[in-house]
Amino acid sequence: MKTPREMLLARHQAAQPKLDAVRQRALTALPSDSGAGVPPALVLWPSRLKTHQPGRPVDRWQPRRLPHYLEAARELFLRPRLAWSALAVAWLVIIALNFATPETSAPGSALATATPPASPETLQALREQKRLFTELVGGTLPHDAEPPRFVPRPRGEAKPAYHYV
Amino acid sequence: MLVVPGDESLPVAAARAGNPAAWDALFRRYQLPLYVYVYELLRHEQTALDAVQETFINAARHLGSLRDDAKFGSWLFGIAHQKCAQHWRKPRREESLDESYSEQPDDEPLPADLLIRAEQEEELMTLLNQLTEPHRAVLLLHFLEDFSLEEIAGITGVGLGTVKSRLHYAKKALRELITEKTT
């Protein structure tokens, strides 16, 4: 009683000498760097060997192509790459100059902050000059006092906004 | 008694490093099963020998692409199967028939577990000859190396369901033969 495997191998046992010769020929044809040069991503599983013909080199690994929309986007942004680079450099220069320049204030504000507050004598002199100027011109001196307050009047003195006909 | 070393000490890593002795051991381990497989599919001695030699050379050239060393056997048989496929020219008309078997339950013992008596050997070979190449390939891979269904699917380049259906068909035919002869 044999297993099918034993039976099949025994039937072809006579081919062993020829197979030994085949093995020797294959060993002499071994490449010096067997297994090298094939990228790990390339798995030469039998389904990928369908197109391989004896005598032709096996298809080597090729970079995977991007989808069409990614290719289009890539072209759109990568074609003017010189312009993008120039813009980036310009912005970097602007930012660098902004940080390198010392902090300066506006001239008007600097003057205002530098002026000391007026003394009471100065204010009095200014009022006197203003009064003399008004007298020379002939006008009335505007009151420095507070504006007149609203004084309510009786309702009968109020001017009606319309008339009865 | 025929002795073929097992897979326990396959020096795949050493062969990848370029060790000729390791390659010799690997070739010696698989030369006869590969030849049986190719010969039973092609039915031509010289073509089978050439296919075995080309399989060895291709394996040595592309071993770097094999990721799992434990699958060296199925990988090697896959290369040999492609060599056979290059010689097949007839259309695969039985594909539609295969799918009709794919959903059938199959709890029967595997043919590899069966024992063949001496007087049944010729009947078994006759049965193998009557099967189509795809069915014969599945049955031979199962007999010779006891590959799993997934490994056979990888070797033959077909789906798992197709492998199941082909094995079911071949087992059924073999079982009928054996029961006929024993009763």
Side-chain angles (χ1 to χ4, degrees):
Chain A
M1 301 281 276
K2 295 177 183 175
T3 63
R5 181 177 197 264
E6 290 172 340
M7 190 205 75
L8 283 166
L9 294 179
R11 279 183 76 88
H12 296 279
Q13 189 65 29
Q16 277 287 20
K18 294 177 182 175
L19 287 170
D20 289 338
V22 163
R23 189 181 75 247
Q24 290 301 325
R25 284 198 294 272
L27 286 172
T28 55
L30 276 181
S32 58
D33 57 342
S34 57
V38 180
L42 177 63
V43 180
L44 285 173
W45 199 246
S47 58
R48 299 194 182 188
L49 282 172
K50 281 177 181 173
T51 57
H52 176 253
Q53 301 289 331
R56 285 188 189 174
V58 178
D59 293 337
R60 292 290 178 180
W61 177 82
Q62 295 292 327
R64 191 171 50 180
R65 290 184 64 82
L66 293 171
H68 289 296
Y69 63 90
L70 285 180
E71 287 281 355
R74 192 177 167 194
E75 280 297 310
L76 180 67
F77 286 102
L78 290 187
R79 190 177 290 273
R81 55 173 68 105
L82 187 62
W84 290 119
S85 305
L87 278 174
V89 169
W91 274 108
L92 285 175
V93 168
I94 289 170
I95 292 170
L97 285 176
N98 188 36
F99 278 107
T101 307
E103 188 79 18
T104 56
S105 305
S109 61
L111 188 63
T113 53
T115 306
S119 62
E121 292 80 12
T122 308
L123 288 176
Q124 184 62 35
L126 282 173
R127 283 199 192 99
E128 190 61 27
Q129 285 179 1
K130 192 175 182 181
R131 190 181 59 81
L132 287 173
F133 178 73
T134 308
E135 285 176 356
L136 286 173
V137 171
T140 56
L141 184 65
H143 295 287
D144 285 342
E146 55 187 358
R149 287 184 290 182
F150 172 73
V151 180
R153 290 182 299 180
R155 293 175 64 91
E157 295 178 8
K159 190 182 283 184
Y162 52 87
H163 298 282
Y164 292 100
V165 178
Chain B
M1 180 71 181
L2 183 69
V3 177
V4 177
D7 294 349
E8 293 82 16
S9 59
L10 284 180
V12 179
R16 184 180 278 111
N19 186 355
W23 278 112
D24 185 68
L26 288 174
F27 290 166
R28 193 184 296 270
R29 156 68 179 84
Y30 284 105
Q31 65 182 21
L32 187 56
L34 270 180
Y35 174 78
V36 172
Y37 178 66
V38 175
Y39 179 86
E40 293 296 336
L41 292 180
L42 300 181
R43 301 288 179 195
H44 192 272
E45 182 184 10
Q46 191 54 48
T47 307
L49 289 170
D50 291 344
V52 170
Q53 182 172 330
E54 289 173 12
T55 299
F56 285 163
I57 292 172
N58 274 5
R61 191 175 299 165
H62 303 296
L63 183 63
S65 64
L66 177 65
R67 291 179 178 173
D68 187 0
D69 289 359
K71 295 186 176 178
F72 178 80
S74 60
W75 180 74
L76 196 65
F77 271 81
I79 297 174
H81 185 85
Q82 288 305 311
K83 299 296 173 194
C84 297
Q86 290 170 4
H87 290 82
W88 290 338
R89 291 292 180 267
K90 68 180 198 179
R92 300 285 186 266
R93 284 176 299 183
E94 62 277 6
E95 291 296 331
S96 59
L97 179 66
D98 290 341
E99 301 306 322
S100 64
Y101 287 95
S102 60
E103 299 302 326
Q104 296 182 7
D106 192 6
D107 298 328
E108 298 293 329
L110 296 175
D113 301 331
L114 300 174
L115 292 176
I116 308 296
R117 291 198 302 270
E119 59 268 22
Q120 289 177 324
E121 288 186 19
E122 287 304 319
E123 282 82 4
L124 177 63
M125 295 311 300
T126 305
L127 170 73
L128 279 175
N129 294 338
Q130 289 171 353
L131 294 173
T132 61
E133 284 98 343
H135 291 94
R136 199 157 65 234
V138 170
L139 202 59
L140 285 168
L141 290 170
H142 181 68
F143 279 158
L144 288 171
E145 294 294 325
D146 200 17
F147 286 127
S148 67
L149 294 174
E150 289 80 7
E151 287 174 321
I152 294 174
I155 291 169
T156 55
V158 297
L160 189 60
T162 305
V163 171
K164 285 180 182 176
S165 69
R166 287 177 181 173
L167 194 57
H168 173 88
Y169 180 85
K171 284 160 58 178
K172 184 181 173 187
L174 179 63
R175 199 173 295 119
E176 286 174 357
L177 169 76
I178 291 177
T179 51
E180 274 179 16
K181 297 295 176 183
T182 51
T183 55

